[in-house]
Amino acid sequence: MRLAKFAASIACASAAIVVDAGLTAATAATPASTMQLLDAAAIAARCDTELANVRAAKKAIESKKGAGIFADWNRLSMQFADFANPVYLLQNVSPEKATRDAAQACLEKLLPFETEMSQSEPLYRRVRATVPSDAIDKVFKQDLIEKFEDGGATLPPDKRKRAQEIADEVERLGLQFSKNVNEDPTTVVLTLAEASGMPEAWIAARKRDANGNLLLGLDYPTVVPFLQNATSEVARRKVWLAKNREGGEQNLVLLDRALKLRYELSQLHGVPDFATYAIKRRMAQTPAAVNDFLGKVQAAVDEVEARELAELREDKAKVTGTDPASPMLYRWDVPFHQERVRRARFQIDQEALRAYFPTDKSVEFAMKLAERLYGIAFVERKVPTWHEDVRYYDVIERLPSGKNGAFIGGAYLDLYPREGKYNHAAAFSVRAGSTLTKRTPISALVTNFNRKGLDHDELETLLHEFGHVLHGVLSKTRYVDQSGTSVKRDFVEAPSQMFEEWARREEPFKLFAEICPECPRLTSAQIKQLDASRKYGQGTRFARQREYAAYDMKLHTGVPPAAMSTWAELEGKTRLGHIEGSLFPANFGHLMGGYAAGYYGYMWSQVLALDMLSAFDGKLMSLDVGRRYRQAILAQGGQRPPHELVEAFLGRKPTSDAFYAEITGRRN
Ligand SMILES: [Zn+2]
């Protein structure tokens, strides 16, 4: 997923599941390229049997002796994920509430199995006794040993049992948390007058009540344009507050409980806190390294943010006819005034961009970019899916002759909002690949786009998530547990963040003109303006991202403080302050879905993303570099440490220069 979107200025965030939150790999040695579709009855009927089957398979490999444990583990991991991953996806995307509920109930049963694997002493012994035959097996062995250590295989029995209980409860809390956000029934009622400033198409697309009032849900295509364009401050405040309360007070209780449990887990392992426990397995290695990084980010963006907010305040004074020194700037003002300043200064109107980027054509653009850069082809196939809007594509090799070659994997696209659906943007791994078993990967792109067209931020979101999909689908790892996006959490965003750049440059946009000759076309000057407009607001955006990351670190350092009051205090010290009644932590899904003590990873990954970009030397459509990148980074998944992958791709040690230039708006 992208960054946590809301609470901040709109420019910021998109939270989400990202990639493999919780569950690991995926499926069986079936040649099928598509996933099995299960309804509520099928999930309920099969759940216990599937679980019994994997438990039996685990028992069988525990009693085996000698070599072969890596292949055994791989098979078992696939068997488990073949059932669990589709269920996990359906819990987030099924249009049927009964299916989502059945999926959640089933996941609660299935999730303990992962901990059971990582707590198995016999499996641990087999792994330890295995001598790796090459560098890939060496990394895999190390990964497994860490999994056993973190899961509790090395703890005394009473502590091990408690570690399992904690892991299970934290997973259950996470499922409930995201369900509360996805299914939040809040509707904001607005009069037509309160929607002043909104384009007619937006107004026409809204539901109405009997009195003709507009009924607003909390999905992005509804909320984001409203905050950018609605002239009524009172109405913006109403909508902003509703969005920031998504998930509700109930989620604060779940979050506090998860924090306590994670702390307890760290104590079982004899480390000071959860941040230490989690970060030691990542690129950053220690909380001190993360805090140091966040300090540097703050120092870099502080003045930029102050300058940007002063400009927005000035704009508000102009609009409201007050003294420039006096108007208070609130969080619901930021997107609105940023948008006004962007329009005036760069002649960029986000709403008007939708005509340039029709949603269908934008998706085709993302696929064509990947086809050219990586020598592949997307071929649509009609297959059964969970909703009529969902599309499926086979991904195949495109030979130099122009003919189609071997089948690589599959991709589902679920693009538009609907009731009860996962409400951010994310890529789900439905099935992870393994060369050992000739198993091909499947990924699913899940977004909530406007049906007609995308604004520029959404076009970037599309390419970002598509970057995750490609990381999954183009993976050629030996083992499923190292496939695609199964990399270190503070590296996972790098390929997706890098791919956003293809929505910012003239060369790739030429391809858009090929795909849609009838679409209005951006001139070179407009593309430059678009990028300048994007950079406007970087200070505010990265200051906010740093706050999120610092908050996440604070919650996971030492004995956990209460989540809500800690947020109110931390946010209260920022330039825009804390808004009484807002509940950002209740919908900060990253904290519950795999980014605990890991939100910093977005910015950490971006250092590497922007550095890797330098290999293209400004020529984003370079086939040579594209193919080299596919082999060196995307195909490798997690089978080599990220710093080695990046260094091998760049031919030098990574640097953070491009990142600091980007966050201060200096990068060209
Ligand atoms: Zn992402």
Side-chain angles (χ1 to χ4, degrees):
M1 41 187 160
R2 273 182 97 193
L3 313 170
K5 201 148 192 152
F6 251 86
S9 68
I10 282 269
C12 293
S14 70
I17 283 236
V18 160
V19 206
D20 293 315
L23 303 168
T24 19
T27 301
T30 57
S33 64
T34 56
M35 72 175 237
Q36 17 180 354
L37 288 173
L38 303 161
D39 60 13
I43 292 170
R46 282 179 53 187
C47 199
D48 292 329
T49 322
E50 294 285 345
L51 186 58
N53 289 347
V54 287
R55 282 191 170 134
K58 168 173 168 273
K59 218 163 179 186
I61 67 171
E62 279 176 337
S63 58
K64 273 171 74 174
K65 295 246 161 16
I69 175 64
F70 296 160
D72 288 343
W73 181 284
N74 196 47
R75 260 192 312 277
L76 186 50
S77 213
M78 292 190 309
Q79 187 184 343
F80 176 67
D82 276 347
F83 180 69
N85 283 14
V87 172
Y88 184 62
L89 177 64
L90 290 169
Q91 193 240 344
N92 282 281
V93 299
S94 173
E96 312 291 336
K97 183 164 169 20
T99 304
R100 297 195 302 268
D101 290 346
Q104 181 176 353
C106 178
L107 287 170
E108 288 185 8
K109 288 186 191 172
L110 295 178
L111 289 168
F113 183 70
E114 286 198 297
T115 315
E116 288 167 24
M117 289 279 284
S118 63
Q119 290 200 339
S120 163
E121 274 187 288
L123 292 180
Y124 177 54
R125 278 197 300 273
R126 278 191 71 194
V127 169
R128 284 199 53 164
T130 301
V131 179
S133 58
D134 63 8
I136 291 174
D137 276 7
K138 198 171 159 206
V139 172
F140 192 51
K141 178 178 174 177
Q142 185 59 29
D143 284 354
L144 288 178
I145 286 182
E146 289 175 1
K147 203 186 283 262
F148 286 121
E149 286 173 1
D150 294 348
T154 55
L155 294 175
D158 57 329
K159 286 188 177 176
R160 188 188 308 159
K161 180 164 168 284
R162 183 62 192 142
Q164 163 109 44
E165 288 164 1
I166 289 173
D168 296 351
E169 192 179 342
V170 169
E171 293 288 358
R172 282 199 302 275
L173 292 168
L175 287 172
Q176 190 57 47
F177 186 99
S178 68
K179 200 163 197 289
N180 292 342
V181 174
N182 294 349
E183 299 186 355
D184 189 313
T186 303
T187 303
V188 183
V189 183
L190 293 181
T191 63
L192 273 177
E194 286 177 307
S196 159
M198 295 310 294
E200 270 173 34
W202 183 94
I203 292 176
R206 307 281 73 85
K207 287 185 188 151
R208 305 271 184 123
D209 68 9
N211 301 320
N213 293 318
L214 303 175
L215 300 175
L216 274 60
L218 299 179
D219 56 287
Y220 283 113
T222 302
V223 172
V224 176
F226 190 83
L227 292 178
Q228 288 174 327
N229 295 287
T231 52
S232 159
E233 184 179 340
V234 175
R236 286 199 311 269
R237 182 182 188 283
K238 228 193 232 184
V239 171
W240 181 91
L241 198 58
K243 182 69 183 169
N244 271 274
R245 293 183 57 81
E246 201 173 20
E249 311 258 356
Q250 54 187 350
N251 269 2
L252 299 175
V253 179
L254 304 183
L255 175 57
D256 278 329
R257 176 74 185 147
L259 294 173
K260 276 206 182 67
L261 290 166
R262 288 178 189 143
Y263 177 73
E264 189 189 343
L265 182 69
S266 71
Q267 300 305 293
L268 294 177
H269 285 275
V271 294
D273 48 36
F274 186 77
T276 310
Y277 168 82
I279 294 170
K280 70 174 187 286
R281 302 306 188 200
R282 308 225 183 95
M283 292 187 81
Q285 296 195 323
T286 64
V290 173
N291 292 329
D292 181 55
F293 172 63
L294 295 178
K296 284 184 183 145
V297 170
Q298 183 174 21
V301 299
D302 192 51
E303 264 179 51
V304 191
E305 186 205 27
R307 195 169 62 230
E308 287 171 0
L309 293 181
E311 285 170 347
L312 300 185
R313 202 167 277 125
E314 234 172 80
D315 189 61
K316 185 169 180 185
K318 225 189 284 173
V319 172
T320 55
T322 48
D323 176 350
S326 65
M328 282 294 295
L329 188 71
Y330 296 103
R331 295 193 181 275
W332 48 84
D333 292 328
V334 172
F336 177 73
H337 290 287
Q338 268 183 340
E339 200 47 28
R340 274 178 45 90
V341 172
R342 283 198 180 109
R343 250 175 245 158
R345 193 172 297 171
F346 308 104
Q347 287 83 51
I348 294 293
D349 174 348
Q350 287 291 341
E351 277 305 302
L353 284 172
R354 297 187 193 281
Y356 290 75
F357 308 129
T359 309
D360 275 7
K361 300 292 179 187
S362 301
V363 169
E364 211 180 318
F365 173 60
M367 290 192 285
K368 283 274 179 292
L369 285 174
E371 290 186 349
R372 300 264 169 106
L373 278 170
Y374 304 135
I376 56 176
F378 285 83
V379 180
E380 184 163 14
R381 269 211 298 137
K382 292 277 165 235
V383 303
T385 63
W386 54 91
H387 187 271
E388 58 187 9
D389 281 344
V390 179
R391 293 186 253 165
Y392 169 82
Y393 294 82
D394 277 343
V395 185
I396 42 195
E397 293 287 356
R398 170 80 34 95
L399 304 172
S401 64
K403 292 202 173 121
N404 289 341
F407 174 80
I408 301 172
Y412 289 89
L413 310 184
D414 183 351
L415 302 170
Y416 308 116
R418 7 171 231 278
E419 218 173 282
K421 177 179 158 179
Y422 176 72
N423 73 350
H424 292 277
F428 289 72
S429 170
V430 180
R431 189 166 75 185
S434 162
T435 56
L436 189 65
T437 54
K438 298 194 172 46
R439 171 193 167 89
T440 52
I442 303 175
S443 292
L445 176 85
V446 180
T447 58
N448 289 276
F449 288 142
N450 179 310
R451 282 175 185 268
K452 294 229 168 75
L454 306 183
D455 65 18
H456 189 245
D457 186 53
E458 289 167 333
L459 185 66
E460 288 183 337
T461 298
L462 170 64
L463 291 196
H464 176 103
E465 300 309 337
F466 215 78
H468 285 310
V469 167
L470 292 167
H471 202 182
V473 171
L474 298 181
S475 174
K476 288 279 181 201
T477 60
R478 183 177 300 165
Y479 302 112
V480 288
D481 285 5
Q482 295 178 325
S483 177
T485 50
S486 303
V487 296
K488 304 243 181 241
R489 182 56 63 163
D490 44 10
F491 182 66
V492 71
E493 299 297 331
S496 49
Q497 288 175 329
M498 192 180 93
F499 205 45
E500 291 175 29
E501 191 72 10
W502 274 253
R504 297 170 189 156
R505 300 284 159 155
E506 187 166 2
E507 217 187 337
F509 275 135
K510 284 186 187 145
L511 198 58
F512 210 112
E514 279 177 36
I515 293 164
C516 186
E518 69 277 19
C519 292
R521 200 169 161 178
L522 294 169
T523 63
S524 317
Q526 282 175 314
I527 292 168
K528 288 201 178 77
Q529 289 288 71
L530 190 61
D531 203 45
S533 147
R534 178 186 69 84
K535 281 181 195 141
Y536 177 77
Q538 289 291 62
T540 314
R541 173 190 161 113
F542 279 94
R544 191 61 164 168
Q545 291 302 317
R546 191 217 53 94
E547 283 154 31
Y548 292 157
Y551 173 58
D552 169 33
M553 288 302 290
K554 198 171 174 94
L555 293 184
H556 294 101
T557 300
V559 178
M564 189 58 224
S565 56
T566 303
W567 173 248
E569 194 193 325
L570 199 146
E571 198 183 30
K573 290 183 190 142
T574 64
R575 290 192 172 90
L576 291 169
H578 173 67
I579 301 300
E580 199 56 45
S582 67
L583 298 177
F584 169 67
N587 48 71
F588 192 14
H590 289 87
L591 291 187
M592 299 293 278
Y595 285 82
Y599 193 78
Y600 76 90
Y602 277 96
M603 290 190 288
W604 190 281
S605 289
Q606 200 163 2
V607 171
L608 296 162
L610 293 173
D611 205 19
M612 289 194 293
L613 195 59
S614 68
F616 286 86
D617 195 22
K619 298 177 198 68
L620 293 194
M621 298 312 295
S622 163
L623 304 188
D624 284 354
V625 187
R627 280 162 178 71
R628 203 156 59 72
Y629 175 76
R630 176 183 170 189
Q631 299 312 329
I633 305 285
L634 298 178
Q636 299 296 326
Q639 64 187 9
R640 282 178 74 187
H643 63 271
E644 280 181 24
L645 294 180
V646 176
E647 202 172 323
F649 172 61
L650 289 174
R652 61 164 171 79
K653 292 214 180 301
T655 82
S656 49
D657 300 350
F659 173 74
Y660 285 106
E662 165 79 12
I663 70 174
T664 52
R666 288 183 284 111
R667 190 168 68 95
N668 293 315

